[in-house]
């Protein structure tokens, strides 16, 4: 076997490997799935701060669930309102998965929009909420919000059950916690 034949065989092998890699990536990109909300919990840690009048999921179709939330802020604390957003995955209970973000000032975040994961979540609300900038209104509304399936293009997650826990606090005192549970099921 000559040097030329070996070179052409290795070039052919490299080209074949690249082709197989591209076919594999194309196949993976064609995986679609169903994502839907499964539960929501809204907990008020301080009833003098807020009352939650609506915290509910509505089944629209078999695989479509909408979330609605209404909270009335009774008084605003004197300090900053901090936010912690955690993504958890179910595996013998809900365990931390990928994200645990702490924003020390919600108004500062709403002005700067400086965290990609939080941006993806809050931008998916679109015109379904009245919270877009400060000052935050005294009645916080999120209505008929469906799971944003397009978000999964930016944050690919494996199949499973997840929880997105968001906690608002002031002066190290927990004021409100919203726990949103959802499930992802892949199919081809």
């Amino acid at each position: 076997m000559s040097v030329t034949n070996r070179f052409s065989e290795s070039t052919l092998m490299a080209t074949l490997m690249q082709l197989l890699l591209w076919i594999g990536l194309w196949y993976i990109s064609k995986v679609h799935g169903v994502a839907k909300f499964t539960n929501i919990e809204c907990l008020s840690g301080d009833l003098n701060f807020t009352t939650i009048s609506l915290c509910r999921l509505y089944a629209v179709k078999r695989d479509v669930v909408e979330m609605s939330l209404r909270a009335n802020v009774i008084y605003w604390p004197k300090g900053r309102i901090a936010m912690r957003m955690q993504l958890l995955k179910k595996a013998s209970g809900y365990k931390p998965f990928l994200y645990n973000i702490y924003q020390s000032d919600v108004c500062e975040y709403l002005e700067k929009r400086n965290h990609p994961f939080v941006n993806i979540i809050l931008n998916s609300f679109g015109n379904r909420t009245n919270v877009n900038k400060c000052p935050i209104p005294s009645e916080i509304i999120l209505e008929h919000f469906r799971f944003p399936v397009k978000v999964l293009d930016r944050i690919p997650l494996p199949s499973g059950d997840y929880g997105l826990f968001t906690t608002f606090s002031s002066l190290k005192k927990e004021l409100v916690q919203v726990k949103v549970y959802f499930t992802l099921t892949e199919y081809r």
Side-chain angles (χ1 to χ4, degrees):
M1 186 180 279
S2 68
V3 173
T4 309
N5 286 343
R6 278 193 225 153
F7 179 71
S8 63
E9 284 179 21
S10 64
T11 305
L12 179 64
M13 188 61 81
T15 305
L16 183 60
M17 292 301 285
Q18 286 178 345
L19 179 64
L20 289 174
L21 178 65
W22 281 109
I23 290 171
L25 289 174
W26 175 80
Y27 183 72
I28 289 171
S29 70
K30 296 299 176 190
V31 172
H32 298 286
V34 174
K36 69 177 186 175
F37 296 117
T38 56
N39 196 8
I40 184 171
E41 293 178 60
C42 303
L43 311 166
S44 182
D46 183 357
L47 294 175
N48 294 323
F49 170 69
T50 187
T51 59
I52 299 168
S53 58
L54 178 66
C55 180
R56 174 165 189 190
L57 297 178
Y58 298 95
V60 178
K61 295 186 228 173
R62 181 178 179 158
D63 290 328
V64 178
V65 177
E66 292 181 344
M67 175 175 42
S68 291
L69 170 78
R70 282 184 183 262
N72 297 309
V73 179
I74 298 168
Y75 83 93
W76 290 103
K78 294 181 181 176
R80 297 177 178 182
I81 296 178
M83 175 180 71
R84 177 175 301 281
M85 192 176 282
Q86 300 170 294
L87 181 64
L88 302 120
K89 186 169 187 203
K90 189 174 184 180
S92 299
Y94 284 90
K95 309 282 191 228
F97 183 79
L98 288 182
Y99 296 105
N100 184 3
I101 298 126
Y102 179 77
Q103 296 287 331
S104 61
D105 187 0
V106 172
C107 284
E108 182 181 322
Y109 164 75
L110 288 172
E111 182 181 314
K112 294 181 181 178
R113 303 278 176 155
N114 56 2
H115 197 284
F117 176 71
V118 180
N119 289 348
I120 290 169
I121 301 299
L122 294 183
N123 290 342
S124 67
F125 291 161
N127 60 358
R128 301 287 181 191
T129 185
N130 64 343
V131 178
N132 295 313
K133 59 183 180 178
C134 282
I136 297 172
S138 60
E139 184 179 32
I140 298 169
I141 301 170
L142 176 66
E143 288 187 330
H144 304 290
F145 178 67
R146 293 182 181 187
F147 192 92
V149 179
K150 291 182 180 181
V151 166
L152 298 176
D153 293 339
R154 291 187 231 149
I155 308 172
L157 297 172
S159 291
D161 295 325
Y162 293 89
L164 182 65
F165 293 7
T166 307
T167 305
F168 297 94
S169 58
S170 180
L171 302 172
K172 297 185 180 182
K173 182 179 178 185
E174 189 176 296
L175 301 173
V176 175
Q177 186 174 36
V178 178
K179 298 178 178 181
V180 178
Y181 300 91
F182 59 96
T183 187
L184 301 176
T185 307
E186 293 179 3
Y187 63 88
R188 297 192 189 280

